[in-house]
Amino acid sequence: MDREQALIVEDEADIREGVRILLESENYEVKEAASGRQGLEILNDKTDLVILDVMMPGMSGIYTCREIRKVSNVPILFLTAKVQESDKLIGLMAGGDDYLPKPFSYAELLGRIKALLRRYKVYMGKNAGGDAETYLEMGGIRIHQSFNEVYVKGEEKEITDIEYHILLLMMQYPGKIFSAQNLYESVWQEPYFYSCNSTIMVHIRNLRVKIEPDPKNPRYIRTEWGKGYKFDAGSE
């Protein structure tokens, strides 16, 4: 059985080495890059996870993330010394899936990695085939219930695994209002904190950009002010 492959893109050699040793002790295959450009050269279809430093000389982690998203939906975990909420939002808007500020504990890092990969395995199930009947279809959107395959009015949309899990959950319960806490604990499977609201907001925004005819006036993913979000199946 092939080992899961992680790519560490970090300009500080000590951090790269520490993360590599941790992951190899957990039986991951690890690739290393000292710059964003080198990371893009190493990235391939066998990469299961990217651990990406935000602050790097030359090509920043944010720019590197945007370039990765042009070719891959692989989970991206940002590592950064910046802790401001605005910096976190910028990273998520660029296509990152999660964000871990430095300094971090190896236990927390490993927990985040395992959670991201657990969700990504569902996405990778697309390569293993599946039951063609396990689709949900409503309001012009068709989504597979076992792997990341989404069509809007017959056109396939490339969305990240986080976006896929959010959309699938909401489509399984059309009309149900999901609070930010509902969504976060269901999709991330981690305890919710108030600061997680912005994480949910950014992923909802990114998903709307990809599936809505007019993201500023969403047809499918509606905001119920003060309550949360719902999927509107009858708004076509």
Side-chain angles (χ1 to χ4, degrees):
M1 182 176 180
D2 291 340
R3 293 185 296 165
E4 290 170 317
Q5 185 181 115
L7 170 60
I8 306 168
V9 186
E10 164 68 64
D11 63 308
E12 295 187 37
D14 289 347
I15 295 179
R16 283 203 315 275
E17 181 181 14
V19 175
R20 174 180 57 78
I21 291 172
L22 171 70
L23 295 184
E24 287 180 342
S25 73
E26 295 286 330
N27 202 36
Y28 292 99
E29 181 181 351
V30 181
K31 304 289 185 181
E32 295 182 53
S35 68
R37 194 168 302 281
Q38 185 183 15
L40 292 173
E41 292 172 355
I42 294 174
L43 181 77
N44 57 46
D45 58 7
K46 294 183 179 180
T47 305
D48 296 302
L49 173 80
V50 177
I51 301 169
L52 181 60
D53 184 28
V54 171
M55 301 293 290
M56 293 185 292
M59 184 183 291
S60 73
I62 300 298
Y63 185 85
T64 303
C65 180
R66 292 194 181 110
E67 292 301 299
I68 290 173
R69 282 289 171 253
K70 292 178 181 179
V71 298
S72 175
N73 282 325
V74 65
I76 297 174
L77 172 62
F78 276 116
L79 302 179
T80 179
K82 291 190 172 185
V83 294
Q84 290 89 347
E85 189 69 13
S86 60
D87 297 315
K88 178 179 179 179
L89 297 183
I90 290 170
L92 295 175
M93 290 173 69
D97 294 286
D98 207 349
Y99 192 98
L100 190 59
K102 301 174 184 178
F104 51 83
S105 71
Y106 283 159
E108 184 176 11
L109 174 62
L110 196 58
R112 298 291 184 92
I113 288 171
K114 288 183 175 180
L116 285 170
L117 285 172
R118 187 167 57 245
R119 289 188 293 268
Y120 191 52
K121 285 178 182 177
V122 176
Y123 165 68
M124 290 299 289
K126 182 175 182 178
N127 295 329
D131 184 355
E133 301 303 320
T134 58
Y135 284 91
L136 277 177
E137 186 166 5
M138 55 188 73
I141 296 182
R142 188 169 188 250
I143 185 170
H144 201 286
Q145 296 187 81
S146 298
F147 53 73
N148 185 340
E149 189 174 281
V150 177
Y151 298 87
V152 179
K153 297 192 181 300
E155 179 183 353
E156 187 168 9
K157 299 293 183 177
E158 295 293 332
I159 65 176
T160 69
D161 66 309
I162 290 286
E163 294 160 0
Y164 164 78
H165 280 88
I166 291 173
L167 180 61
L168 177 62
L169 177 64
M170 296 181 75
M171 286 185 66
Q172 287 173 329
Y173 301 94
K176 172 181 170 60
I177 299 173
F178 288 89
S179 68
Q181 181 172 355
N182 291 155
L183 287 174
Y184 191 84
E185 292 183 346
S186 297
V187 174
W188 276 260
Q189 297 181 12
E190 295 177 358
Y192 167 85
F193 299 97
Y194 182 75
S195 61
C196 300
N197 280 352
S198 56
T199 299
I200 292 293
M201 180 183 67
V202 171
H203 284 293
I204 291 288
R205 172 193 173 278
N206 290 345
L207 183 56
R208 282 172 169 163
V209 167
K210 296 174 182 179
I211 70 169
E212 296 281 1
D214 181 1
K216 294 182 178 179
N217 297 287
R219 170 187 298 178
Y220 300 115
I221 300 179
R222 304 271 193 165
T223 299
E224 295 291 322
W225 296 109
K227 296 180 180 180
Y229 305 94
K230 71 176 183 179
F231 182 84
D232 191 341
S235 58
E236 190 176 19

